[in-house]
Each structure stands twice: as structure tokens, then as C-alpha cells.
Amino acid sequence: MRPINKLSTKSLIDSSKLTLDDINSIFCLAQYYKSNSHQKFDFHKNKVASLLFFEPSTRTKSSFELAAKKLGITTLSLDTSNSSIKKGESFIDTVETYIELETDCFIIRHQLSGACDFISKNTSSIFINAGDGKHDHPTQGLLDAFTLKEIFPDLSKVNITIIGDISQSRVARTNLNILSILGANISILAPSTLYPMHVDFKNINVYKSINEAVENSNVIMCLRLQNERMDSNALPSTSEFYKYYGLKESHLIQYPDLLFMHPGPTNYGVELDIKLKNHKNSLIRKQVNNGLYIRMAVLDLLLSNLS
Ligand code: CP
């Protein structure tokens, strides 16, 4: 029997609202689905999930869609480039249209921070935030932590450093939330123009250089430069960013046990060396694969809360 525990939340919008029990329940069910990866399950065959992605996505959208199909859920996927949004339909009217199509669960990516929370008010549907502006991307943080816990069951013994565009990154913010709940030792390294003014630094160590970061870390988490959200003056050039903040093959030669992650999409030659693409210490492809099981677990737990 699959391990189903009630979550403390009806929707998954803000990772800081998750409890340790919620995270453990999601991980336990994700592990069940990973161990039974060749099976198809029909637990929610009368349910409808609508994927409304107002920003581009490859990993999140495809893995949510596959996760839903593996659970027997019918999916509706809005093609924003060819929808009535092009004729002036609003975000609210778009969501209301899908409510009338009997959507049980919305999976929403939007360029505005708070969009998913805003639209979730006053409806009985479930909402999953698939990334909103600079704010949050809960399933990315969950899949990152799940990937780490497969290697390090006790995260309190692990030093993880997040490097790069921390101020614009919803992935950084989500990982700071979830890894803190799990008790990991977290550090950051960022250029001063991409420094996270919003972060409470109480339990977060700040490094001054990439050499200091790699020397003291078990895991480096690289981040994509969020050019679509960045002030054009934030960086003199990407080559300078790579010089001072990029993870390079020489770091892995010096520290052969150092693991590294990236939420994707990756820009080789900017956040990390192209020579690291298929490196044995890369967790990047594992992150993508685990995203499927985390999203199956999240969908199953939230929809089971409904029944
Ligand atoms: N990590 C992530 O959210 O990737 P996508 O933008 O491809 O979904």
C-alpha cells in the first residue's frame, strides 16, 4: 500500500509554510513511486489537472504532466502563445474558464510573484505553484532536497553552498526555506549586485569567493542567471561572472568528492564549465528524474486530501 499522510496544507504555494512532517510525507511517497517506477496508477482517474504556464518551462511542465498521467489524472495544458490571452483575456478569466471545465487541481507558473496565491483565494480548487516570479518554486526545492537526502540521509551533516543570482532566484529562496526546515548547513556566494537583501542571514553563512566555497562545501548548487528579471546593469558581463562565480573542472580536480547541482536550464560557460556536463559528481540529471516522483507524490497527497 502506498504511504499516504494528510498534508497540513490544501494547496502548495509557499514552501515556507511546509512542515517537517509534510516534507517527510512527500519524500516517503516519492520514494514509493520511484521504487515502483514502471507501474501506472489509477488513484485519481476522475480528476482533472490544468497546467497553466505563463512562463516557459521544459522540466516542470513535462514532469507534472507525466506525473499526472501516471496517476490516471486527465490533464489540460494551456498553450499561452495560442490562447485567448492573445485576444486580451485576463489571468483571472483564464483560470475561471478552467474552473468551469471542472479542474480539481491547477498547476500554475507565472512571471509575477504572488500570482498563484492571489488566484487561489475564494476557489475550492487545489493550486500548485510551479514558479512565481522571484518568489517560490516549491516542487523544485523538494526535488533538490530529496536528491540530496538520497546521498546524505542526515542533512545536518552536509554543507551546501548556493552560488550565483540569489536575489532574483525563486529556486534559491525555496531551497533556503526547505533545506533550513531539514536542518542543512547552508551558505551562499553571490556578486554584490545579485545579493539577496530579503534573506534573514541568521543561519546562513556567506562566502567571499568561489575558492572558499568549494573548499568548505560538500555540495555546490549553481543557479541560472535570471536575465528576464535582472536589472541590465547588475553584471558587467557573463564572462566575468563565470570567471569569479562559475564552477570549473579545476575545482573538481582539487576536491574530487565535491558534488554539484543545477535546477536547469543550465548555461554552460556561465554558471559552470562545459567540461562538467557529464561529470560523475553532477546531480543534474538525477534532479530531473526525481522531479517526476516528487510531483507524483505532491499531486497524489493534495488530491487525496480532497477525498
Ligand atoms: N528548473 C525548472 O523550473 O526548469 P524549467 O523552467 O524547465 O521548468
Side-chain angles (χ1 to χ4, degrees), residues 254-266:
Q254 197 174 1
Y255 301 102
D257 294 330
L258 183 68
L259 300 177
F260 63 93
M261 313 176 79
H262 192 304
T266 45

Side-chain angles (χ1 to χ4, degrees), residues 56-60 109 137 140 263-264:
S57 168
T58 297
R59 278 147 285 269
T60 312
R109 171 168 289 190
H137 189 354
Q140 180 69 46

Side-chain angles (χ1 to χ4, degrees), residues 65-280:
E65 192 161 354
L66 183 58
K69 287 187 190 335
K70 279 178 169 270
L71 294 169
I73 300 166
T74 299
T75 57
L76 296 174
S77 185
L78 175 71
D79 174 6
T80 47
S81 64
N82 201 21
S83 74
S84 289
I85 292 162
K86 290 281 171 207
K87 295 186 263 181
E89 188 159 51
S90 70
F91 178 40
I92 293 177
D93 284 350
T94 303
V95 171
E96 283 176 356
T97 301
Y98 279 83
I99 288 174
E100 293 313 316
L101 295 174
E102 303 184 355
T103 294
D104 299 286
C105 176
F106 284 96
I107 301 158
I108 295 188
R109 171 168 289 190
H110 202 282
Q111 61 276 17
L112 295 179
S113 302
C116 192
D117 183 52
F118 165 75
I119 207 71
S120 70
K121 308 279 189 229
N122 307 317
T123 86
S124 59
S125 306
I126 292 166
F127 285 82
I128 300 175
N129 179 4
D132 62 330
K134 299 179 189 179
H135 172 234
D136 213 322
H137 189 354
T139 56
Q140 180 69 46
L142 286 165
L143 76 87
D144 290 342
F146 180 79
T147 303
L148 284 168
K149 271 181 78 72
E150 285 186 320
I151 301 159
F152 306 105
D154 181 359
L155 289 186
S156 71
K157 299 200 170 82
V158 187
N159 297 324
I160 302 157
T161 301
I162 306 175
I163 298 183
D165 180 6
I166 295 174
S167 63
Q168 326 285 326
S169 172
R170 57 195 176 212
V171 175
R173 193 186 283 245
T174 308
N175 269 294
L176 290 168
N177 288 336
I178 291 177
L179 293 174
S180 298
I181 296 168
L182 293 170
N185 305 307
I186 314 165
S187 305
I188 59 170
L189 169 67
S192 54
T193 48
L194 300 175
Y195 199 74
M197 300 303 177
H198 57 269
V199 173
D200 170 5
F201 286 102
K202 233 181 9 240
N203 297 312
I204 295 168
N205 184 41
V206 180
Y207 288 129
K208 299 250 180 309
S209 72
I210 188 149
N211 289 338
E212 195 187 4
V214 294
E215 185 185 343
N216 293 292
S217 302
N218 304 104
V219 182
I220 296 292
M221 188 180 285
C222 304
L223 298 173
R224 183 176 68 85
L225 291 176
Q226 307 278 299
N227 293 314
E228 67 275 31
R229 288 178 244 289
M230 199 185 290
D231 181 331
S232 59
N233 299 318
L235 285 176
S237 70
T238 50
S239 56
E240 191 171 294
F241 176 83
Y242 177 65
K243 182 174 171 194
Y244 291 105
Y245 300 94
L247 186 68
K248 300 172 192 74
E249 189 186 39
S250 56
H251 296 133
L252 274 292
I253 292 169
Q254 197 174 1
Y255 301 102
D257 294 330
L258 183 68
L259 300 177
F260 63 93
M261 313 176 79
H262 192 304
T266 45
N267 291 300
Y268 289 99
V270 180
E271 300 111 31
L272 67 173
D273 197 335
I274 184 67
K275 289 186 192 141
L276 298 180
K277 184 165 168 45
N278 293 311
H279 197 281
K280 66 179 177 46

